[in-house]
Amino acid sequence: MAMADITVRGAGIFGLSIAWTCARRGASVQVIDPFGAGSGSSGGLIGALAPHVPENWNAKKQYQLESLLMAEAFWAEVEATGGVSPGYGRTGRLQPVNDQRTLDLAHQRAISARNLWQGKADWSVIAATDAGPWVPPSASGYVIQDTLSARMHPRRACAALVAGLSVMGVEVQAEGADQGLVVHAKGYAGLLELNDRLAGPGGVAAGKTLGNGVKGQAALLRFAEGDVPQLYADGLHIIPHADGTLAIGSTSEREFEDPSSTDAQLDDVIDRARAALPILHGAEVIERWAGVRPRARSRAPMLGAWPDRTDHFIANGGFKIGFGMAPKVAETIANLLLDGNDDIPDGFRVEDNF
């Protein structure tokens, strides 16, 4: 068997997207994950590809914008190759505006979005009555509407990448030896490994915590609404999926004992979602989910060479924006591995977490 040019360890959204992009550019790739594709936080329910607010612009927000604008073509090619839909749709987002201060701020952001989003998407304030029947109650009578946000089903997205990779002869393996350049995209477990190797006594980041995990709980309801915008209300994402389900979430728990259990915190999320959108009362909860999302110290994705391991690289720290960042992260890592081009933004480098 021919040696692989690239070994990707981890079959979450970062690992699969990197493998896909490298394979599409002609590299021989192997993907190794003992737990299978989408087994960690990438196997969740939400799938909200939503932008940061268009103000206080920085490298992270610019990178996210570019990735969100890449997403439609990226996922269309994945689906066309493997024949599996990721559930992607750039359906936009609505957010209620509940007081005058927030309304004034929303109008200011609408102006900044016209410049920062390069005319490729809109952020606007509209009357709730103009948004149609699918709209959260708003105390001010207005809602924020953006056309950049998109939705996808995380599990279906991972399955779509697996199917596309399979067509190109790349299968997710449970085990295997490193071959060629090695990318570590192992999520929460990978951050713990980095802490152990780099932050321990004598390590290049001794005494530092490079990243950790934040538990999230979410629920899936049987509720078919079609291709309508996602909603963001009371701090919750409410995502109508293309398969006739609706996801709501999530919690952000820094301290936890059981990473996969759900509890009263999720009950509260469900109750708040139903209060924010009364039409959800009576919708059956068909799944409760919990998982741990990888959060790098910098709060940006952690990308680049492993400091003390030659030919080893890191792609981690997607946290809540991993699916939205994945197309651009995959391009960045492929550029580094295949072309030797380092275009990792400031704040995203492994060393930025020391």
Side-chain angles (χ1 to χ4, degrees):
M1 181 178 295
M3 291 283 289
D5 301 317
I6 294 169
T7 297
V8 178
R9 290 198 171 273
I13 186 58
F14 275 9
L16 292 172
S17 297
I18 290 165
W20 163 264
T21 300
C22 289
R24 294 295 288 171
R25 288 169 58 169
S28 173
V29 181
Q30 64 170 353
V31 182
I32 300 171
D33 193 315
F35 304 104
S39 58
S41 61
S42 293
L45 304 174
I46 302 297
L49 280 58
H52 289 92
V53 293
E55 64 182 10
N56 301 322
W57 209 241
N58 56 32
K60 180 180 177 181
K61 292 185 178 183
Q62 179 63 32
Y63 194 93
Q64 185 198 42
L65 171 66
E66 294 172 9
S67 191
L68 291 174
L69 293 173
M70 292 170 62
E72 187 167 10
F74 179 93
W75 290 109
E77 185 177 25
V78 170
E79 181 174 356
T81 302
V84 175
S85 171
Y88 176 87
R90 189 170 156 181
T91 51
R93 178 174 61 169
L94 297 173
Q95 305 175 63
V97 179
N98 291 323
D99 56 63
Q100 187 62 46
R101 177 184 173 279
T102 306
L103 182 60
D104 293 341
L105 188 57
H107 282 298
Q108 294 173 22
R109 289 169 172 170
I111 295 170
S112 62
R114 286 197 286 273
N115 297 320
L116 297 172
W117 289 1
Q118 308 162 14
K120 297 177 181 177
D122 296 320
W123 169 294
S124 57
V125 180
I126 64 172
T129 53
D130 294 337
W134 177 255
V135 62
S138 171
S140 71
Y142 291 92
V143 294
I144 299 164
Q145 180 183 57
D146 85 70
T147 62
L148 182 56
S149 294
R151 61 99 197 274
M152 66 173 16
H153 196 300
R155 294 173 189 171
R156 294 176 183 269
C158 290
L161 282 164
V162 168
L165 285 165
S166 181
V167 169
M168 293 188 288
V170 181
E171 306 292 340
V172 177
Q173 309 167 57
E175 56 185 20
D178 289 342
Q179 297 178 13
L181 304 177
V182 183
V183 180
H184 297 263
K186 296 188 285 186
Y188 175 46
L191 288 181
L192 297 181
E193 181 182 356
L194 284 169
N195 287 337
D196 288 341
R197 290 183 62 105
L198 301 182
V204 295
K208 301 292 182 67
T209 299
L210 279 68
N212 51 35
V214 178
K215 180 179 176 179
Q217 299 185 45
L220 194 68
L221 280 58
R222 194 183 310 281
F223 190 90
E225 192 64 27
D227 290 333
V228 295
Q230 60 181 274
L231 308 179
Y232 186 71
D234 192 18
L236 299 176
H237 295 282
I238 302 172
I239 313 296
H241 285 307
D243 63 355
T245 62
L246 179 141
I248 55 175
S250 61
T251 64
S252 289
E253 304 167 44
R254 299 284 187 90
E255 302 293 334
F256 53 88
E257 294 183 0
D258 185 344
S260 60
S261 66
T262 63
D263 54 33
Q265 294 182 77
L266 182 55
D267 297 335
D268 179 64
V269 164
I270 296 168
D271 290 343
R272 286 164 51 205
R274 287 172 171 162
L277 197 65
I279 195 173
L280 298 180
H281 281 284
E284 178 189 3
V285 177
I286 57 177
E287 184 176 351
R288 296 164 62 94
W289 177 89
V292 182
R293 297 159 297 188
R295 179 185 181 277
R297 181 189 180 107
S298 67
R299 302 195 66 175
M302 183 193 297
L303 310 176
W306 189 303
D308 60 359
R309 298 179 73 181
T310 302
D311 293 337
H312 286 249
F313 301 82
I314 296 164
N316 208 322
F319 193 31
K320 297 181 180 180
I321 55 176
F323 278 84
M325 290 286 207
K328 185 71 174 176
V329 165
E331 178 184 74
T332 298
I333 295 297
N335 289 344
L336 182 62
L337 271 56
L338 303 182
D339 304 326
N341 293 335
D342 183 346
D343 49 15
I344 301 170
D346 290 341
F348 284 56
R349 298 182 181 278
V350 178
E351 294 81 2
D352 292 324
N353 296 276
F354 290 1

